[in-house]
Structures are given as structure tokens and as C-alpha cells.
Amino acid sequence: MRLIVLGAAAGGGFPQWNSACAVGRRAWQRDPAARWRTQCSVAISADGERWSLLNASPDLRQQILATPTLHPRHGPRHSPIAAVVLTNGDVDHVAGLLILRESQRFDLYATGAILEVLERNPIFNVLNPEFVRRRRLRLEQPLALDGGTTIVPFAVPGKVPLYLEGEALEIGAETEDVIGLELWTEHRAKAFFVPGCARLTPALAERLAGAALVLFDGTLWTDDEMIRSGTGVKTGARMGHMSVSGPEGTLAAFAALGVRRKVLIHINNTNPILLDDSPERAEVEAAGWEVAFDGMEITL
Ligand code: MLT
Ligand code: MN
């Protein structure tokens, strides 16, 4: 299986258009240690010909331009993109669907809850149903994607998209609103894509233990990072993201799981691990993690 990180940043990208926070400022200055990153999406394929996008980011057009593997090759209408799989309904994961509106055949997979969100938003009807089949993902049911990879969707603790938050908001529920994807390689090695996760439950930890590869929610370094950086009023917990650092954080939670390759993805523009020379980056690397970047390729 080949996997290409099309975008490694969380919503807003890095740098974010309206932020010159301490971390973002380095990126605006084009500091080589603060590499720019687009919003979170990954492409996977087993045969190298037919690719599936895991989430469709608002930066999708730019991501396709930057990735020769995804360029059209055969005639006036062709794309190696055979499918799009959504892990939730957040803007940073669905807005790219609008980029794919040029009457091109592909399959769009999402859970029932997320398909409903798309159905309720008529703008997504620009995806002509004659060409784009919307197909329901069923939790825990393996699905063979065109291109040869099998995925298994599973619920992870999360919440509804920000734009659907109501008064009775539940955070950390394991529903169809936020899923992770188990990816089976041809050799039955397991990889995981979990770009958003509110909490590593014992069951999820057990599922991930011993995996060949995990790409995991790297949104924030500390829970109060947005507040302290003056970029927001919410904690990570309130946004449905566990933090990377701290006793309850991702580094600690994965320490004993025996995952062979651990990669942080969906990284917010305030997170100091984005800087190649930060002490926080040194800390994640010392704990055996890599920080995803646009164009990162992994073969399993
Ligand atoms: C998130 O990952 O928490 C969301 O993308 C936030 C948002 O929609 O702005
Ligand atoms: Mn997001």
C-alpha cells in the first residue's frame, strides 16, 4: 500500500490566513524550519493506479497540482482518484468535494450520519449523482476500495461538526459522526488513519496496539493552546481533540502500544511541533513520533 500525505495541517492550514501567532509568524517569514502545510487529507492506493482520498480538504485542488500521481493522464476526462472517504463532516474534510464537481465518476463513502449532513446541504448536489455514487459506510464492516485497499471504518470519540453544534452538545460520544479508518495492506499489515480523536479509550488502544502505522490526531500540543496563543476561546477537549502532550496526552497514551510507525497529522497552526527546531518537536521525536508534512510518502 502506498500512502501520500496531501495535507498535514488542521482546519485553517499552516500558516492560517488570519494568524501571525508565535508559530505562524515563522511560517509567514518563510523560515525553512516552519514548512507550510495544507489541510488534512491523505491518498492511498495498493495498485498505484486507482487512488482513494481520505477526506477532501478545502486545499484539494492545490494538493492535486502538487501530486503528479493524481494528475489526469488518459484523454479529456480522467482522474486516478476513484473514491473519497470521509472521516467526519468538518469543513476541513468535506469542502474539497466542491473541487471535484466536474462530472467525474468516483465513489463517495461516508457514514449514514455524514451522508445526511451532505444531503441537507444542497451545495453538494454539484456532485452530479450520475457520476458520483454516495455509498454508506457501515461501522466495523470491511470495504474493498477500487485500487486494492480494504478499509474498516470504526467510531472514535468525537462530536458533530462545529456548524451543527447545538445546545445539547455531547463531546466524546462514539457515534457515526467521527470515524477512524483501519487500512489493510496486501500483506494484511494494519495501518490506521485517525485525524480526530477526543480520547483514547481502552478499546481503541487495544485496536491500535501493534499496528504497522498510525496517523493520529496531532491538533494541539496543550489543551489550552488556542487560549494562550490568543487565537481562540476553546480548549482542545471542547473541540473534540485530545492533546499531544501531558499525562493524558497522545504521547503518553501510545507509549506502551508497540505501534511501529507513529505519525501526527491534522496539526493546528498554533502547535509548536510544526517548527523543526522547537523543543516540542524534539520531544515528540524522542517519543518515536514523526510530524506529517505535505508530500510525505509511506509504503507498507
Ligand atoms: C476540528 O478539527 O476541530 C474542526 O475542523 C474545527 C473546525 O471545523 O473549524
Ligand atoms: Mn479539523
Side-chain angles (χ1 to χ4, degrees):
M1 182 179 69
R2 278 176 68 200
L3 184 153
I4 304 174
V5 174
L6 303 180
F14 180 60
Q16 180 172 306
W17 70 280
N18 63 345
S19 182
C21 67
V23 178
R25 200 178 315 130
R26 297 265 309 268
W28 288 118
Q29 290 162 350
R30 306 293 334 218
D31 183 328
R35 206 187 308 201
W36 288 18
R37 286 164 170 86
T38 60
Q39 293 163 86
C40 182
S41 174
V42 160
I44 57 165
S45 176
D47 65 13
E49 293 291 325
R50 307 286 287 154
W51 289 78
S52 297
L53 304 184
L54 310 184
N55 291 326
S57 113
D59 302 316
L60 183 53
R61 180 172 181 277
Q62 181 186 343
Q63 293 170 340
I64 292 171
L65 296 184
T67 312
T69 316
L70 299 181
H71 293 179
R73 278 188 294 280
H74 310 299
R77 279 287 184 273
H78 169 256
S79 170
I81 298 169
V84 177
V85 184
L86 303 177
T87 63
N88 66 17
D90 286 354
V91 172
D92 53 346
H93 292 162
V94 304
L97 292 173
L98 303 177
I99 312 292
L100 300 175
R101 70 187 178 282
E102 324 287 356
S103 294
Q104 179 65 38
R105 193 168 297 285
F106 69 92
D107 290 327
L108 172 56
Y109 293 98
T111 60
I114 300 308
L115 287 179
E116 234 175 76
V117 172
L118 300 181
E119 267 153 38
R120 289 210 306 266
N121 282 274
I123 195 169
F124 291 106
N125 295 342
V126 296
L127 296 175
N128 183 344
E130 267 182 52
F131 294 90
V132 180
R133 278 193 301 180
R134 297 187 187 188
R135 313 190 67 181
R136 182 168 173 200
L137 287 177
R138 293 183 192 273
L139 298 178
E140 304 299 342
Q141 288 196 14
L143 169 80
L145 294 170
D146 201 359
T149 309
T150 295
I151 61 169
V152 186
F154 57 92
V156 298
K159 65 167 185 64
V160 293
L162 177 60
Y163 56 85
L164 292 178
E165 284 185 6
E167 279 183 8
L169 175 65
E170 197 184 343
I171 299 168
E174 291 171 75
T175 66
E176 285 197 339
D177 290 321
V178 182
I179 60 170
L181 298 171
E182 191 171 306
L183 318 171
W184 295 350
T185 72
E186 308 88 285
H187 326 290
R188 289 268 155 163
K190 278 187 191 168
F192 290 87
F193 180 60
V194 187
C197 184
R199 190 164 40 90
L200 200 72
T201 62
L204 182 53
E206 194 179 321
R207 179 170 214 137
L208 302 178
L213 168 70
V214 175
L215 291 108
F216 197 79
D217 184 344
T219 310
L220 299 180
W221 175 249
T222 52
D223 193 48
D224 61 353
E225 180 175 310
M226 307 267 306
I227 300 165
R228 278 194 298 116
S229 61
T231 56
V233 294
K234 287 184 199 160
T235 61
R238 171 62 184 76
M239 295 189 294
H241 296 289
M242 57 192 286
S243 302
V244 176
S245 67
E248 307 280 303
T250 301
L251 300 189
F254 273 77
L257 295 189
V259 173
R260 259 175 285 154
R261 196 160 173 194
K262 299 176 286 192
V263 179
L264 291 163
I265 195 162
H266 189 278
I267 305 157
N268 196 55
N269 62 85
T270 51
N271 190 332
I273 66 169
L274 287 166
L275 304 175
D276 296 347
D277 55 5
S278 68
E280 293 84 358
R281 168 67 72 81
E283 196 173 330
V284 299
E285 287 178 353
W289 286 83
E290 296 166 74
V291 175
F293 55 88
D294 294 16
M296 180 183 202
E297 284 209 35
I298 298 174
T299 303
L300 279 179

